[in-house]
Amino acid sequence: MHQEPLRTAGQPLATATKALILLHGRGGSPADILSLARHVHVPEFALLAPQATQNTWYPNSFLAPPAQNEPWLSDALAAVGRAVAEAEAAGISKENIYFLGFSQGACLTLEYVARHATRYGGVVAFTGGLIGDHLDAARYAGDFAGTPIFIGTSDPDFHVPVERVRASTKLLTGLGGAVTERIYPHMGHTISQEEIDVANSLIFK
């Protein structure tokens, strides 16, 4: 699963100096998440958007035991890894690879980078947290070396409890991430202009 061709936009990989990997939410599509790129400051970036099979990266809640989301979750993480490998094959180093995801795609974004922590260009998670019924630090390894990470969410959010966002921030910070967490009262399950502005000022500056 998750074998659909990578959707690309922005600058050609062959000439781009930076790459942004965008991960859509449940029920979304690469076209949906790529449309968000018009609002962030990425004119010199190659944009890479994997496609989830049947528009869903994994079938159950991100708070379910990971085994209940297999093999979809492992395949989803592998799809992100292929996008990273494609950027690296074009000569773009990890320090110039950025990530952005919304909702289920934000959860997948955080889970991928935490399992492969290194110095990335930056990470944006619009409404997401690390995956699993509990957070097992043994799943995560590496050192973000100060990678800027932005997590924005609503309190409450029907899909993503604010407690998991805070726990994710703590774990990512422990891996060396420079995490900025913003919790917006009653924002709803969406992406606000304020979140976009924060992402632009912290990550895409």
Side-chain angles (χ1 to χ4, degrees):
M1 60 195 68
H2 311 317
Q3 297 293 324
E4 287 81 355
L6 195 64
R7 177 83 177 267
T8 61
Q11 298 297 321
L13 264 177
T15 57
T17 58
K18 298 178 181 180
L20 173 61
I21 296 169
L22 303 104
L23 299 177
H24 66 77
R26 189 190 300 269
S29 69
D32 294 334
I33 197 72
L34 283 168
S35 70
L36 187 62
R38 296 196 300 268
H39 304 282
V40 293
H41 299 158
V42 291
E44 75 275 30
F45 286 59
L47 308 178
L48 309 175
Q51 165 75 58
T53 299
Q54 297 179 343
N55 305 99
T56 299
W57 293 112
Y58 42 85
N60 298 308
S61 166
F62 84 109
L63 298 171
Q68 294 183 12
N69 276 316
E70 294 294 356
W72 299 272
L73 176 56
S74 290
D75 283 353
L77 291 165
V80 182
R82 288 194 296 274
V84 171
E86 189 154 333
E88 288 191 291
I92 299 175
S93 68
K94 284 191 171 72
E95 289 187 358
N96 287 314
I97 296 176
Y98 295 68
F99 299 83
L100 183 154
F102 170 63
S103 191
Q104 192 185 56
C107 297
L108 181 60
T109 293
L110 294 178
E111 189 71 15
Y112 178 86
V113 298
R115 293 191 187 200
H116 305 86
T118 189
R119 185 55 164 93
Y120 297 111
V123 179
V124 177
F126 292 127
T127 311
L130 291 166
I131 294 172
D133 53 327
H134 67 280
L135 297 188
D136 180 1
R139 279 204 301 267
Y140 308 111
D143 184 353
F144 283 118
T147 296
I149 300 171
F150 172 62
I151 306 175
T153 195
S154 176
D155 182 20
D157 183 89
F158 181 75
H159 301 286
V160 181
V162 71
E163 294 79 13
R164 175 54 59 91
V165 173
R166 290 180 173 135
S168 300
T169 292
K170 182 178 179 180
L171 193 148
L172 294 163
T173 300
L175 289 169
V179 184
T180 298
E181 174 195 279
R182 295 285 176 88
I183 297 170
Y184 302 93
H186 305 288
M187 179 178 70
H189 195 73
T190 187
I191 301 171
S192 70
Q193 183 61 51
E194 184 173 342
E195 287 180 294
I196 291 171
D197 292 343
V198 173
N200 279 328
S201 65
L202 290 175
I203 311 297
F204 304 115
K205 54 190 177 182

